[in-house]
Amino acid sequence: MPRRLVTSNTDFSTAFDDLINCKSVNRYYINELVSRIIADVIDSGDLALLDYTRRFDFFDPIEIGLSIDNAEIKAAVARIDSDTRKSLELAVERIENFHRRQLPKDFEINEMLGVRVSMRWSAINSVGLYVPGGTAAYPSSVLMNSLPAKIAGVSRRVMMVPTPDGVVNDLVLAAAHIAGVNEIWRIGGAQAIAALAYGTQTITKVDKIVGPGNAYVTAAKQHVFGKVGIDNLAGPSEILVVADAQNNPHWIATDLLSQAEHDPLAQAILVTDDKAFANSVATAVEDHLVTLPRIEIAEKSWRVYGAIIVTQSMEEIPEIVNRIAPEHLELAIADPEAMALQIRHAGAIFLGRFTPVALGDYLAGPNHVLPTAGTARFSSALSVFDFMKYTTTVAADPKGLAYLGPAAIKLAEMEGLSAHARSVAIRIEQP
Amino acid sequence: MPRRLVTSNTDFSTAFDDLINCKSVNRYYINELVSRIIADVIDSGDLALLDYTRRFDFFDPIEIGLSIDNAEIKAAVARIDSDTRKSLELAVERIENFHRRQLPKDFEINEMLGVRVSMRWSAINSVGLYVPGGTAAYPSSVLMNSLPAKIAGVSRRVMMVPTPDGVVNDLVLAAAHIAGVNEIWRIGGAQAIAALAYGTQTITKVDKIVGPGNAYVTAAKQHVFGKVGIDNLAGPSEILVVADAQNNPHWIATDLLSQAEHDPLAQAILVTDDKAFANSVATAVEDHLVTLPRIEIAEKSWRVYGAIIVTQSMEEIPEIVNRIAPEHLELAIADPEAMALQIRHAGAIFLGRFTPVALGDYLAGPNHVLPTAGTARFSSALSVFDFMKYTTTVAADPKGLAYLGPAAIKLAEMEGLSAHARSVAIRIEQP
């Protein structure tokens, strides 16, 4: 059974803290292994990649090569049926449309006083896109990672995807093809991150690595951070559904299960102000669970991390949501926009009774790579910003220097930085 | 002597690689110590802070307290002379003006098809601002860290500043006061970062930590990353000056020294197409060095990390700059804008002969917290973006669901995620 919390109970505060903290993981063992893998890739390059791929993905890459070539990609694309292809293309169109709107604008402030300052955006040269394989391969993740990079203007987009037993998912390759990925390697785990960050004999290192992965991939990203850029550290998926009693409990149950089926560590939480409705949803979850192909995963997630929170009123709910800062927030209520205005921390919000999270997972337009484990307090979905950086400029003429110089000299002197002061003063004294 | 590189020499490529790699630091010892400090702060809270402050900052905080109170701040502000105060206020005005222009805009795409998607920016609730103390205390860093947070709308802005021997810099407190910092603690090093990330009995944890510090602070930030947000990992300062022979060598020499005087590990590089000019600058640097109060620091930096690169033409220079991706780039040439267009990677560019970096350090407007050690390849100056995050929203009505649903179901099925498919299908079947 998922845990039950009732806000009017005296133990609510303790139970709620337990809920928020239940997902902390001991990472010591992982960090040690990941450090070793990264060191091996730095030292032995391709040989280490071959070795770890044999050990973790159970196939011999010597026979088929670590790189996935154009012929293989074209063959995969050819095997995709036209319905699937059209669905992918609709997703591409909508994701591109949304992310294009994110493109930031340069600005310049040109003062009459002889000082011009500006902010100029540019794309990162090369990025690594990690795409999880294994228990499920996600073509949608390929689109969500690579399209923002393409729109940002990143010229080299390198995809890493593990292929357990050497089997590549046709749809993953088709998605990469449609999204314009430049290079694809059948490498996963910490070794893929190390190859992207440090390069090997055959793989040229990149400037930044993005994309969610398992705990090893995440630990490796944290390890190489600084050497290259990384996006957020991804944790298991989460959904928080706020639902009143006017919902069909089966609809809400399938929403909860749509996160639970991702990962035994995923977390699905229902928050409702109606106890009877909470019971109906719990029953509906059981009904749907038994008919799900991924019952084993979804059941573990629901039993261990699932939760139902019953409040006394709708007014209590925004604060609960803000404290959890969920990755996905569904507001299946009469006036979802009114509640959304009270939400300060959530990766993505799905408004109303007809907006299951799955729409956003695939093709609503916004990115599905979202901040997890409460990190929505300080971070956001993947976006074109993750693939860009900016340079600021300052240009002063003698008049501008005369205007700003004295204050700069004063402040430099107060900080005891006399060469700073001198670099300004010397230009004013003898212009 | 600083190293000399000549692009026409046969060993240039090797010498250039050495230059780029000369700043790698072995962080093993640091990481171990930093992990211990963080664990102590988690376990013992304030007691650990008191203990480490006694050991590293050589004063007993029991007597004066870890917090810097309003009376102390007001007294410091009162001691500032009016010229300094006016200089600070001019800096505040210009920094605010520049950063206000960065504020991002929300957008919504409202399709007639029954689907609305949006992107909505909001401020982070609370941030920690680390301000280095020690060998030099920098009020300018207080402004550069706290003003973007204020403009972004962060409500709780907590400053940590080490105060060796218990001595606080009046100007640092005055800057914090003018910039509207809410809380100030006289705590530095890894222990300050740990207190911000995990909280103690008296210090409430924050959501994100920004600001440059020494190697311990940087290692600690990397350590707590994920638990809280952080900005870039700061390294020692760098300047790269591109100068033709038309410059006054003394002007260029003071620019190089203005970075060298920051830190023995700072790096100042001159790139010029004129060998005779290179020699004049080298001589001028020696002239100025001997009269600098911070000669010891500047000399170490210039001798060990300084470099002069002589090219055969100006055309060779942009590629050299892009490979270094310097923190500060000064273009003291006839047409700096033309060369700036060819620069893909630099933290901040200072255009023309009358724009010493020191202007930007204090009050030109752009931020002086910049990406170091080549990280300008993938990251940018501190900005209001560092203090904001966004939430995306999706809202579909029955028509929108009918439009997007079939493709979402198809893609979910192809990924083997049947609860995803079901959460959409169940709403279409029985709307």
Side-chain angles (χ1 to χ4, degrees):
Chain A
M1 285 300 98
R3 61 186 86 197
R4 294 263 190 158
L5 293 80
V6 178
T7 59
S8 58
N9 284 1
T10 49
D11 71 344
F12 175 74
S13 172
T14 316
F16 188 70
D17 286 344
D18 284 352
L19 176 69
I20 286 182
N21 297 322
C22 75
K23 294 176 75 190
S24 313
V25 184
N26 185 334
R27 286 223 165 112
Y28 285 113
Y29 165 71
I30 283 183
N31 275 331
E32 209 172 289
L33 179 57
V34 163
S35 299
R36 186 144 32 93
I37 293 173
I38 293 173
D40 280 351
V41 173
I42 293 173
D43 290 346
S44 312
D46 290 338
L47 280 179
L49 295 181
L50 293 170
D51 184 37
Y52 283 114
T53 301
R54 268 186 218 110
R55 279 159 62 183
F56 295 141
D57 292 342
F58 313 109
F59 73 99
D60 191 347
I62 285 282
E63 292 166 27
I64 46 176
L66 284 172
S67 162
I68 295 179
D69 63 20
N70 274 334
E72 211 170 335
I73 295 164
K74 277 186 185 157
V77 172
R79 282 190 294 268
I80 302 298
D81 69 82
S82 81
D83 251 24
T84 305
R85 199 191 160 87
K86 275 179 203 150
S87 299
L88 274 178
E89 284 168 349
L90 179 61
V92 167
E93 183 196 316
R94 297 186 56 86
I95 296 165
E96 287 197 337
N97 190 34
F98 186 83
H99 287 79
R100 213 174 278 122
R101 286 289 297 271
Q102 295 175 335
L103 282 168
K105 285 192 176 57
D106 295 351
F107 68 80
E108 179 170 278
I109 305 176
N110 191 350
E111 302 168 78
M112 292 305 99
L113 301 157
V115 186
R116 270 185 307 127
V117 290
S118 82
M119 176 154 162
R120 302 174 184 183
W121 290 88
S122 62
I124 292 172
N125 274 0
S126 59
V127 298
L129 311 164
Y130 190 88
V131 174
T135 53
Y138 298 137
S140 56
S141 289
V142 177
L143 302 185
M144 293 293 182
N145 278 285
S146 58
L147 292 174
K150 182 180 152 202
I151 287 169
V154 174
S155 55
R156 181 166 168 254
R157 306 184 293 278
V158 185
M159 183 171 120
M160 292 277 167
V161 58
T163 59
D165 303 313
V167 180
V168 202
N169 182 308
D170 281 348
L171 223 62
V172 163
L173 295 191
H177 178 73
I178 294 175
V181 169
N182 309 109
E183 288 174 41
I184 309 180
W185 303 88
R186 53 179 110 239
I187 309 171
Q191 59 273 23
I193 303 302
L196 289 169
Y198 290 92
T200 67
Q201 296 87 338
T202 58
I203 300 173
T204 305
K205 64 186 175 187
V206 300
D207 294 319
K208 185 163 181 174
I209 303 171
V210 306
N214 62 19
Y216 296 91
V217 170
T218 302
K221 280 170 67 180
Q222 183 159 23
H223 204 287
V224 302
F225 171 51
K227 167 78 181 157
V228 296
I230 65 168
D231 63 340
N232 294 322
L233 299 174
S237 276
E238 311 147 7
I239 186 174
L240 189 155
V241 181
V242 175
D244 58 26
Q246 308 312 309
N247 286 282
N248 181 330
H250 288 273
W251 295 16
I252 303 302
T254 58
D255 296 337
L256 295 168
L257 289 170
S258 75
Q259 290 306 309
E261 74 174 343
H262 267 299
D263 188 335
L265 299 174
Q267 181 165 55
I269 300 175
L270 168 67
V271 183
T272 180
D273 63 345
D274 189 297
K275 196 182 162 190
F277 178 73
N279 291 334
S280 308
V281 173
T283 305
V285 167
E286 299 302 323
D287 290 352
H288 286 278
L289 254 182
V290 292
T291 62
L292 280 184
R294 293 170 70 89
I295 177 173
E296 218 173 308
I297 294 168
E299 194 169 19
K300 271 189 200 152
S301 157
W302 181 240
R303 304 271 185 261
V304 180
Y305 296 108
I308 295 176
I309 302 178
V310 179
T311 65
Q312 290 185 283
S313 70
M314 294 304 275
E315 285 67 43
E316 288 177 11
I317 293 178
E319 190 49 32
I320 289 172
V321 172
N322 284 324
R323 285 194 58 197
I324 294 175
E327 181 190 17
H328 301 96
L329 171 65
E330 199 173 295
L331 300 178
I333 53 178
D335 189 353
E337 278 289 4
M339 188 176 287
L341 291 176
Q342 298 178 69
I343 303 302
R344 292 192 313 278
H345 312 302
I349 306 180
F350 298 82
L351 300 158
R353 307 188 198 281
F354 292 90
T355 317
V357 167
L359 282 189
D361 286 339
Y362 293 109
L363 79 182
N367 211 287
H368 81 192
V369 181
L370 291 162
T372 58
T375 60
R377 286 176 293 118
F378 54 81
S379 59
S380 315
L382 197 69
S383 71
V384 298
F385 293 102
D386 287 290
F387 299 100
M388 303 187 79
K389 64 228 166 55
Y390 65 83
T391 298
T392 56
T393 72
V394 180
D397 62 18
K399 195 174 72 172
L401 185 71
Y403 165 54
L404 294 182
I409 292 168
K410 181 78 193 169
L411 292 170
E413 282 169 351
M414 298 302 292
E415 291 189 351
L417 297 175
S418 47
H420 283 65
R422 197 179 293 180
S423 71
V424 179
I426 200 172
R427 287 170 160 93
I428 296 182
E429 287 155 14
Q430 17 164 302
Chain B
M1 285 301 98
R3 61 187 83 198
R4 293 263 192 158
L5 292 82
V6 179
T7 59
S8 58
N9 285 0
T10 49
D11 71 344
F12 175 74
S13 173
T14 316
F16 189 71
D17 286 345
D18 284 352
L19 176 69
I20 286 181
N21 296 322
C22 75
K23 294 177 76 191
S24 312
V25 184
N26 186 334
R27 286 222 167 114
Y28 284 113
Y29 165 71
I30 282 183
N31 275 332
E32 209 171 290
L33 179 57
V34 162
S35 299
R36 187 144 33 91
I37 292 173
I38 293 173
D40 281 350
V41 173
I42 294 173
D43 289 346
S44 312
D46 290 339
L47 279 179
L49 295 180
L50 293 171
D51 183 38
Y52 283 114
T53 300
R54 269 187 217 109
R55 279 159 63 184
F56 295 142
D57 292 342
F58 312 109
F59 73 98
D60 191 346
I62 285 282
E63 292 166 27
I64 45 177
L66 284 172
S67 162
I68 295 180
D69 64 21
N70 274 333
E72 210 170 335
I73 295 165
K74 278 186 185 157
V77 171
R79 283 192 293 266
I80 302 298
D81 69 81
S82 83
D83 251 23
T84 305
R85 197 189 162 88
K86 275 180 202 149
S87 300
L88 275 178
E89 283 167 350
L90 179 62
V92 168
E93 182 195 318
R94 297 186 57 86
I95 296 165
E96 287 196 338
N97 190 33
F98 186 83
H99 287 79
R100 215 174 278 122
R101 285 290 297 270
Q102 294 175 336
L103 282 168
K105 284 192 177 58
D106 295 351
F107 68 80
E108 178 169 277
I109 305 177
N110 192 349
E111 303 169 78
M112 292 305 99
L113 300 156
V115 186
R116 271 185 306 128
V117 290
S118 82
M119 177 154 160
R120 302 174 185 182
W121 290 88
S122 61
I124 293 172
N125 274 1
S126 58
V127 298
L129 311 164
Y130 190 88
V131 174
T135 53
Y138 297 138
S140 57
S141 289
V142 177
L143 302 185
M144 293 293 182
N145 278 285
S146 59
L147 292 174
K150 181 181 152 202
I151 287 168
V154 174
S155 55
R156 182 166 166 253
R157 307 185 292 279
V158 185
M159 184 171 120
M160 291 278 168
V161 57
T163 58
D165 303 313
V167 180
V168 202
N169 182 308
D170 281 347
L171 223 61
V172 163
L173 294 191
H177 178 73
I178 294 175
V181 170
N182 310 109
E183 288 174 43
I184 310 180
W185 303 88
R186 53 179 111 240
I187 309 170
Q191 60 273 23
I193 303 301
L196 289 168
Y198 290 93
T200 68
Q201 295 88 337
T202 58
I203 300 174
T204 305
K205 64 186 174 186
V206 301
D207 295 319
K208 185 163 180 174
I209 302 171
V210 306
N214 63 18
Y216 296 91
V217 170
T218 302
K221 281 169 67 181
Q222 184 159 23
H223 204 286
V224 301
F225 171 51
K227 167 76 182 159
V228 296
I230 64 168
D231 63 339
N232 293 322
L233 300 175
S237 277
E238 311 148 8
I239 186 172
L240 189 155
V241 181
V242 174
D244 58 26
Q246 308 313 309
N247 286 282
N248 181 330
H250 287 274
W251 295 16
I252 303 301
T254 59
D255 296 337
L256 295 167
L257 289 170
S258 76
Q259 290 306 308
E261 75 173 344
H262 267 299
D263 187 337
L265 299 175
Q267 181 165 55
I269 300 175
L270 168 67
V271 183
T272 179
D273 62 345
D274 190 297
K275 197 183 162 190
F277 178 74
N279 291 334
S280 308
V281 173
T283 306
V285 167
E286 299 302 325
D287 289 351
H288 286 279
L289 254 183
V290 293
T291 63
L292 279 186
R294 293 169 70 89
I295 176 172
E296 218 174 308
I297 294 168
E299 193 169 19
K300 270 189 201 153
S301 158
W302 181 241
R303 304 271 184 262
V304 179
Y305 295 107
I308 295 177
I309 302 178
V310 178
T311 65
Q312 291 186 283
S313 70
M314 293 304 274
E315 285 66 42
E316 286 176 13
I317 292 177
E319 190 49 31
I320 288 173
V321 173
N322 284 324
R323 284 194 59 197
I324 294 175
E327 181 191 15
H328 301 96
L329 171 64
E330 199 173 292
L331 299 178
I333 53 178
D335 190 353
E337 278 289 3
M339 188 175 286
L341 292 176
Q342 298 178 68
I343 302 303
R344 291 193 313 279
H345 312 302
I349 306 180
F350 299 82
L351 299 159
R353 307 188 199 282
F354 292 90
T355 317
V357 166
L359 283 190
D361 286 339
Y362 293 109
L363 79 182
N367 211 287
H368 82 192
V369 180
L370 292 161
T372 58
T375 59
R377 286 177 293 117
F378 55 81
S379 59
S380 315
L382 197 69
S383 71
V384 298
F385 293 102
D386 287 290
F387 299 101
M388 302 186 80
K389 64 225 164 57
Y390 65 84
T391 298
T392 56
T393 72
V394 181
D397 63 17
K399 195 173 72 172
L401 185 72
Y403 164 55
L404 294 182
I409 292 169
K410 181 78 193 170
L411 292 169
E413 281 169 353
M414 298 303 290
E415 291 190 351
L417 297 175
S418 47
H420 283 65
R422 197 178 293 181
S423 71
V424 179
I426 200 172
R427 287 171 160 93
I428 297 181
E429 286 155 13
Q430 18 165 304

PDB file of all heavy atoms in Angstrom, chain A residues 112-130:
ATOM      1  N   MET A 112      25.153  58.067 -24.193  1.00  0.00           N
ATOM      2  CA  MET A 112      25.762  59.250 -24.803  1.00  0.00           C
ATOM      3  C   MET A 112      27.052  59.624 -24.079  1.00  0.00           C
ATOM      4  O   MET A 112      27.828  60.440 -24.516  1.00  0.00           O
ATOM      5  CB  MET A 112      24.784  60.436 -24.772  1.00  0.00           C
ATOM      6  CG  MET A 112      23.573  60.252 -25.672  1.00  0.00           C
ATOM      7  SD  MET A 112      24.007  59.887 -27.412  1.00  0.00           S
ATOM      8  CE  MET A 112      23.830  58.108 -27.508  1.00  0.00           C
ATOM      9  N   LEU A 113      27.267  58.995 -22.921  1.00  0.00           N
ATOM     10  CA  LEU A 113      28.418  59.362 -22.097  1.00  0.00           C
ATOM     11  C   LEU A 113      29.721  58.712 -22.565  1.00  0.00           C
ATOM     12  O   LEU A 113      30.748  58.839 -21.910  1.00  0.00           O
ATOM     13  CB  LEU A 113      28.138  58.941 -20.654  1.00  0.00           C
ATOM     14  CG  LEU A 113      26.884  59.589 -20.069  1.00  0.00           C
ATOM     15  CD1 LEU A 113      26.322  58.776 -18.932  1.00  0.00           C
ATOM     16  CD2 LEU A 113      27.221  61.002 -19.630  1.00  0.00           C
ATOM     17  N   GLY A 114      29.666  57.965 -23.686  1.00  0.00           N
ATOM     18  CA  GLY A 114      30.910  57.369 -24.168  1.00  0.00           C
ATOM     19  C   GLY A 114      31.151  55.961 -23.669  1.00  0.00           C
ATOM     20  O   GLY A 114      32.275  55.468 -23.690  1.00  0.00           O
ATOM     21  N   VAL A 115      30.102  55.308 -23.202  1.00  0.00           N
ATOM     22  CA  VAL A 115      30.231  53.921 -22.752  1.00  0.00           C
ATOM     23  C   VAL A 115      29.144  53.084 -23.427  1.00  0.00           C
ATOM     24  O   VAL A 115      27.974  53.461 -23.409  1.00  0.00           O
ATOM     25  CB  VAL A 115      30.055  53.795 -21.218  1.00  0.00           C
ATOM     26  CG1 VAL A 115      30.339  52.373 -20.771  1.00  0.00           C
ATOM     27  CG2 VAL A 115      30.951  54.775 -20.489  1.00  0.00           C
ATOM     28  N   ARG A 116      29.564  51.996 -24.065  1.00  0.00           N
ATOM     29  CA  ARG A 116      28.613  51.049 -24.624  1.00  0.00           C
ATOM     30  C   ARG A 116      28.787  49.719 -23.923  1.00  0.00           C
ATOM     31  O   ARG A 116      29.917  49.241 -23.777  1.00  0.00           O
ATOM     32  CB  ARG A 116      28.886  50.825 -26.121  1.00  0.00           C
ATOM     33  CG  ARG A 116      28.162  51.767 -27.050  1.00  0.00           C
ATOM     34  CD  ARG A 116      28.416  51.373 -28.505  1.00  0.00           C
ATOM     35  NE  ARG A 116      29.837  51.261 -28.800  1.00  0.00           N
ATOM     36  CZ  ARG A 116      30.412  50.197 -29.345  1.00  0.00           C
ATOM     37  NH1 ARG A 116      29.695  49.144 -29.673  1.00  0.00           N
ATOM     38  NH2 ARG A 116      31.707  50.179 -29.580  1.00  0.00           N
ATOM     39  N   VAL A 117      27.691  49.094 -23.505  1.00  0.00           N
ATOM     40  CA  VAL A 117      27.768  47.753 -22.915  1.00  0.00           C
ATOM     41  C   VAL A 117      26.773  46.858 -23.642  1.00  0.00           C
ATOM     42  O   VAL A 117      25.742  47.340 -24.119  1.00  0.00           O
ATOM     43  CB  VAL A 117      27.464  47.766 -21.398  1.00  0.00           C
ATOM     44  CG1 VAL A 117      28.587  48.437 -20.622  1.00  0.00           C
ATOM     45  CG2 VAL A 117      26.144  48.466 -21.113  1.00  0.00           C
ATOM     46  N   SER A 118      27.087  45.580 -23.741  1.00  0.00           N
ATOM     47  CA  SER A 118      26.165  44.692 -24.446  1.00  0.00           C
ATOM     48  C   SER A 118      26.215  43.284 -23.882  1.00  0.00           C
ATOM     49  O   SER A 118      27.117  42.929 -23.112  1.00  0.00           O
ATOM     50  CB  SER A 118      26.485  44.654 -25.943  1.00  0.00           C
ATOM     51  OG  SER A 118      27.545  43.747 -26.200  1.00  0.00           O
ATOM     52  N   MET A 119      25.227  42.511 -24.256  1.00  0.00           N
ATOM     53  CA  MET A 119      25.164  41.094 -23.892  1.00  0.00           C
ATOM     54  C   MET A 119      24.883  40.349 -25.190  1.00  0.00           C
ATOM     55  O   MET A 119      23.907  40.667 -25.879  1.00  0.00           O
ATOM     56  CB  MET A 119      24.044  40.900 -22.877  1.00  0.00           C
ATOM     57  CG  MET A 119      23.785  39.474 -22.482  1.00  0.00           C
ATOM     58  SD  MET A 119      23.035  39.433 -20.812  1.00  0.00           S
ATOM     59  CE  MET A 119      22.341  37.779 -20.835  1.00  0.00           C
ATOM     60  N   ARG A 120      25.736  39.387 -25.543  1.00  0.00           N
ATOM     61  CA  ARG A 120      25.647  38.708 -26.839  1.00  0.00           C
ATOM     62  C   ARG A 120      25.617  37.193 -26.652  1.00  0.00           C
ATOM     63  O   ARG A 120      26.566  36.607 -26.138  1.00  0.00           O
ATOM     64  CB  ARG A 120      26.868  39.084 -27.694  1.00  0.00           C
ATOM     65  CG  ARG A 120      27.002  40.570 -27.910  1.00  0.00           C
ATOM     66  CD  ARG A 120      28.296  40.925 -28.629  1.00  0.00           C
ATOM     67  NE  ARG A 120      28.422  42.386 -28.723  1.00  0.00           N
ATOM     68  CZ  ARG A 120      29.406  43.017 -29.346  1.00  0.00           C
ATOM     69  NH1 ARG A 120      30.363  42.318 -29.946  1.00  0.00           N
ATOM     70  NH2 ARG A 120      29.441  44.334 -29.375  1.00  0.00           N
ATOM     71  N   TRP A 121      24.545  36.589 -27.083  1.00  0.00           N
ATOM     72  CA  TRP A 121      24.389  35.140 -26.925  1.00  0.00           C
ATOM     73  C   TRP A 121      25.055  34.393 -28.065  1.00  0.00           C
ATOM     74  O   TRP A 121      25.055  34.838 -29.205  1.00  0.00           O
ATOM     75  CB  TRP A 121      22.905  34.776 -26.906  1.00  0.00           C
ATOM     76  CG  TRP A 121      22.199  35.228 -25.670  1.00  0.00           C
ATOM     77  CD1 TRP A 121      21.610  36.440 -25.463  1.00  0.00           C
ATOM     78  CD2 TRP A 121      22.015  34.488 -24.465  1.00  0.00           C
ATOM     79  NE1 TRP A 121      21.064  36.500 -24.206  1.00  0.00           N
ATOM     80  CE2 TRP A 121      21.290  35.312 -23.571  1.00  0.00           C
ATOM     81  CE3 TRP A 121      22.377  33.203 -24.052  1.00  0.00           C
ATOM     82  CZ2 TRP A 121      20.926  34.896 -22.290  1.00  0.00           C
ATOM     83  CZ3 TRP A 121      22.008  32.791 -22.774  1.00  0.00           C
ATOM     84  CH2 TRP A 121      21.304  33.625 -21.909  1.00  0.00           C
ATOM     85  N   SER A 122      25.595  33.213 -27.766  1.00  0.00           N
ATOM     86  CA  SER A 122      26.112  32.336 -28.826  1.00  0.00           C
ATOM     87  C   SER A 122      25.934  30.887 -28.399  1.00  0.00           C
ATOM     88  O   SER A 122      25.743  30.581 -27.224  1.00  0.00           O
ATOM     89  CB  SER A 122      27.587  32.631 -29.090  1.00  0.00           C
ATOM     90  OG  SER A 122      28.354  32.370 -27.937  1.00  0.00           O
ATOM     91  N   ALA A 123      25.980  30.007 -29.383  1.00  0.00           N
ATOM     92  CA  ALA A 123      25.780  28.586 -29.101  1.00  0.00           C
ATOM     93  C   ALA A 123      27.070  27.951 -28.596  1.00  0.00           C
ATOM     94  O   ALA A 123      28.174  28.382 -28.946  1.00  0.00           O
ATOM     95  CB  ALA A 123      25.317  27.868 -30.357  1.00  0.00           C
ATOM     96  N   ILE A 124      26.932  26.919 -27.790  1.00  0.00           N
ATOM     97  CA  ILE A 124      28.065  26.071 -27.421  1.00  0.00           C
ATOM     98  C   ILE A 124      28.472  25.301 -28.684  1.00  0.00           C
ATOM     99  O   ILE A 124      27.637  24.982 -29.527  1.00  0.00           O
ATOM    100  CB  ILE A 124      27.634  25.133 -26.276  1.00  0.00           C
ATOM    101  CG1 ILE A 124      27.386  25.966 -25.009  1.00  0.00           C
ATOM    102  CG2 ILE A 124      28.658  24.040 -26.037  1.00  0.00           C
ATOM    103  CD1 ILE A 124      26.777  25.182 -23.868  1.00  0.00           C
ATOM    104  N   ASN A 125      29.762  25.013 -28.839  1.00  0.00           N
ATOM    105  CA  ASN A 125      30.224  24.319 -30.057  1.00  0.00           C
ATOM    106  C   ASN A 125      29.737  22.880 -30.175  1.00  0.00           C
ATOM    107  O   ASN A 125      29.294  22.449 -31.225  1.00  0.00           O
ATOM    108  CB  ASN A 125      31.759  24.260 -30.078  1.00  0.00           C
ATOM    109  CG  ASN A 125      32.367  25.495 -30.680  1.00  0.00           C
ATOM    110  OD1 ASN A 125      31.659  26.416 -31.086  1.00  0.00           O
ATOM    111  ND2 ASN A 125      33.683  25.519 -30.739  1.00  0.00           N
ATOM    112  N   SER A 126      29.910  22.123 -29.088  1.00  0.00           N
ATOM    113  CA  SER A 126      29.647  20.684 -29.168  1.00  0.00           C
ATOM    114  C   SER A 126      29.024  20.195 -27.875  1.00  0.00           C
ATOM    115  O   SER A 126      29.429  20.613 -26.793  1.00  0.00           O
ATOM    116  CB  SER A 126      30.953  19.923 -29.416  1.00  0.00           C
ATOM    117  OG  SER A 126      31.869  20.186 -28.377  1.00  0.00           O
ATOM    118  N   VAL A 127      28.017  19.340 -28.001  1.00  0.00           N
ATOM    119  CA  VAL A 127      27.391  18.782 -26.799  1.00  0.00           C
ATOM    120  C   VAL A 127      27.210  17.273 -26.925  1.00  0.00           C
ATOM    121  O   VAL A 127      27.065  16.735 -28.028  1.00  0.00           O
ATOM    122  CB  VAL A 127      25.999  19.405 -26.508  1.00  0.00           C
ATOM    123  CG1 VAL A 127      26.109  20.897 -26.240  1.00  0.00           C
ATOM    124  CG2 VAL A 127      25.027  19.113 -27.627  1.00  0.00           C
ATOM    125  N   GLY A 128      27.242  16.626 -25.783  1.00  0.00           N
ATOM    126  CA  GLY A 128      26.934  15.202 -25.695  1.00  0.00           C
ATOM    127  C   GLY A 128      25.524  15.041 -25.175  1.00  0.00           C
ATOM    128  O   GLY A 128      25.132  15.710 -24.216  1.00  0.00           O
ATOM    129  N   LEU A 129      24.755  14.179 -25.835  1.00  0.00           N
ATOM    130  CA  LEU A 129      23.362  13.946 -25.455  1.00  0.00           C
ATOM    131  C   LEU A 129      23.266  12.519 -24.937  1.00  0.00           C
ATOM    132  O   LEU A 129      23.455  11.567 -25.699  1.00  0.00           O
ATOM    133  CB  LEU A 129      22.453  14.119 -26.670  1.00  0.00           C
ATOM    134  CG  LEU A 129      22.668  15.406 -27.490  1.00  0.00           C
ATOM    135  CD1 LEU A 129      22.007  15.290 -28.856  1.00  0.00           C
ATOM    136  CD2 LEU A 129      22.127  16.616 -26.731  1.00  0.00           C
ATOM    137  N   TYR A 130      23.005  12.360 -23.659  1.00  0.00           N
ATOM    138  CA  TYR A 130      22.876  11.009 -23.120  1.00  0.00           C
ATOM    139  C   TYR A 130      21.423  10.561 -23.219  1.00  0.00           C
ATOM    140  O   TYR A 130      20.514  11.262 -22.775  1.00  0.00           O
ATOM    141  CB  TYR A 130      23.338  10.942 -21.663  1.00  0.00           C
ATOM    142  CG  TYR A 130      23.430   9.502 -21.219  1.00  0.00           C
ATOM    143  CD1 TYR A 130      24.602   8.771 -21.419  1.00  0.00           C
ATOM    144  CD2 TYR A 130      22.336   8.854 -20.661  1.00  0.00           C
ATOM    145  CE1 TYR A 130      24.685   7.440 -21.069  1.00  0.00           C
ATOM    146  CE2 TYR A 130      22.410   7.519 -20.306  1.00  0.00           C
ATOM    147  CZ  TYR A 130      23.577   6.809 -20.509  1.00  0.00           C
ATOM    148  OH  TYR A 130      23.655   5.483 -20.170  1.00  0.00           O
TER     149      TYR A 130
END
